[in-house]
Amino acid sequence: MGAMSVRNPSSKPSEASHRAGFACFVGRPNAGKSTLTNALVGQKVAITADQPQTTRHTVRGIVHRPDAQLILVDTPGLHKPRTLLGQRLNDIVRTTWAEVDVIGFCLPANEKLGPGDRFIAKELASIKKTPKIAIVTKTDLVDSKTLAEQLIAVDQLGKELGFEWAEIVPVSAVADQQVDLLADLIAPLLPEGPPLYPEGDLTDEPEQVMIAELIREAALEGVRDELPHSIAVVVEEMLPREDRPADRPLLDIHAFVYIERPSQKGIVIGPKGKRLKEVGIKSRKQIEALLGTPVFLDLHVKVAKDWQRDPRQLRKLGF
């Protein structure tokens, strides 16, 4: 700390230089990655859920600061793959980690380090060049003694695996503690350069994918135990409704909710179609908030047999 930067002696002090780059948060399911992304970006971007594997697509949140632009790439969780989909998600994870400028490893303060954390940390150790920040999340749930023990354990974990954390930072996204500090610590690790995205952008996720995620989240609400991941949503088309006055536009969105087996249809649709209707109302409100325009949402449930194991279906569903 405090050493002068000798990288570019001819340049003026680096206050004026702007940095921009990519970071991704990794960690076991429920380690607080999405909540942290939302807290940093200041808007609901990633889909938060208490079920692993809900953030399937690379949702990027963009943190705009006067001195830096931080683009958050949300990778799917790394896990021991059981299906073709699992295998494919893991490949995406490894490529992403090798390409970002900083990796933030989220470890909840209220859970002891477990085999899942070690599994990820080992993988991280093999990625030599990228700086790694350990982020101890959910600090609002523990007392200071537990927190101190966790920070020491995290430090040890790095030493055991033969690497040094660039930083170890405790944060609480929910209580908004130290979130800005985290951004302050990530910024200097990014490469120097102009902003990569225009000021107003919060995510470069194609709208259709974000809309599909909102519908998927609403469809899983309350039935996660019965269908943890066997729902995929595809937005088939989005069209402005014809003959609407300019000041009262309406966007027609047609989407399919795909399930794996006919027996799951009843769960998603509910008695007399009641659940599907609720899913439609809930996700429509969120889509309208996202797009800032009134929406007519047309939802259909379709069976795509065992889509998680079928490469052709996976491609069609965007994986």
Side-chain angles (χ1 to χ4, degrees):
M1 295 294 283
M4 291 290 290
S5 161
V6 287
R7 218 173 26 182
N8 191 347
S10 62
S11 71
K12 291 203 177 68
S14 62
E15 326 174 299
S17 69
H18 184 280
R19 293 176 180 274
F22 295 83
C24 72
F25 293 146
V26 304
R28 279 183 299 134
N30 316 333
K33 302 181 291 277
S34 300
T35 316
L36 187 56
T37 300
N38 297 334
L40 277 164
V41 176
Q43 271 227 4
K44 185 167 171 166
V45 188
I47 305 295
T48 47
D50 52 8
Q51 183 68 33
Q53 302 313 94
T54 33
T55 320
R56 280 261 173 82
H57 298 277
T58 308
V59 178
R60 294 180 178 83
I62 302 170
V63 184
H64 298 277
R65 298 162 52 107
D67 59 330
Q69 186 179 66
L70 169 61
I71 298 132
L72 299 170
V73 186
D74 207 19
T75 52
L78 188 81
H79 55 95
K80 300 205 164 70
R82 283 188 299 277
T83 59
L84 178 64
L85 173 64
Q87 192 58 61
R88 203 166 279 185
L89 290 173
N90 279 357
D91 296 342
I92 297 172
V93 172
R94 293 198 180 86
T95 9
T96 307
W97 290 7
E99 289 165 0
V100 296
D101 301 298
V102 183
I103 300 171
F105 183 17
C106 297
L107 302 120
N110 62 332
E111 293 172 35
K112 288 237 183 299
L113 299 189
D117 298 314
R118 275 175 200 289
F119 177 67
I120 296 173
K122 253 199 202 92
E123 289 283 334
L124 285 179
S126 67
I127 295 173
K128 300 275 185 261
K129 288 199 187 66
T130 318
K132 296 167 264 296
I133 291 183
I135 306 164
V136 176
T137 58
K138 308 189 182 185
T139 54
D140 53 299
L141 302 178
V142 299
D143 57 23
S144 52
K145 182 172 171 289
T146 312
L147 178 57
E149 283 164 5
Q150 186 73 324
L151 294 171
I152 292 165
V154 169
D155 187 40
Q156 276 310 115
L157 179 63
K159 289 202 172 81
E160 252 168 67
L161 295 170
F163 69 87
E164 184 81 35
W165 298 108
E167 306 280 352
I168 300 177
V169 198
V171 303
S172 165
V174 173
D176 198 23
Q177 285 163 345
Q178 307 239 87
V179 175
D180 290 342
L181 172 69
L182 176 62
D184 291 342
L185 295 171
I186 294 175
L189 300 171
L190 302 175
E192 291 191 8
L196 301 166
Y197 287 88
E199 181 70 53
D201 288 9
L202 289 170
T203 166
D204 78 343
E205 187 69 347
E207 279 172 351
Q208 262 159 288
V209 175
M210 287 186 82
I211 289 166
E213 281 289 334
L214 289 172
I215 296 169
R216 186 166 180 272
E217 186 181 39
L220 278 171
E221 196 96 340
V223 295
R224 290 186 197 283
D225 304 341
E226 297 156 273
L227 327 157
H229 333 289
S230 17
I231 295 186
V233 176
V234 174
V235 173
E236 290 287 319
E237 53 177 14
M238 294 167 48
L239 297 165
R241 176 81 58 96
E242 306 266 312
D243 341 308
R244 293 282 293 202
D247 56 347
R248 297 210 353 266
L250 182 67
L251 188 65
D252 282 315
I253 298 179
H254 300 278
F256 287 106
V257 177
Y258 286 97
I259 48 182
E260 290 189 288
R261 290 186 289 286
S263 60
Q264 299 169 334
K265 215 166 175 170
I267 302 173
V268 176
I269 295 174
K272 297 203 170 123
K274 193 163 162 278
R275 270 214 81 242
L276 191 63
K277 207 173 185 164
E278 284 165 8
V279 169
I281 292 168
K282 186 174 175 192
S283 49
R284 194 191 75 228
K285 284 194 181 122
Q286 294 187 320
I287 294 165
E288 291 182 336
L290 175 76
L291 302 177
T293 165
V295 161
F296 173 79
L297 180 61
D298 176 41
L299 280 186
H300 290 278
V301 180
K302 270 190 168 177
V303 179
K305 240 172 102 52
D306 291 329
W307 61 264
Q308 296 200 352
R309 296 176 191 283
D310 175 350
R312 221 183 60 241
Q313 302 263 27
L314 282 174
R315 265 200 306 281
K316 200 177 108 190
L317 299 173
F319 295 113

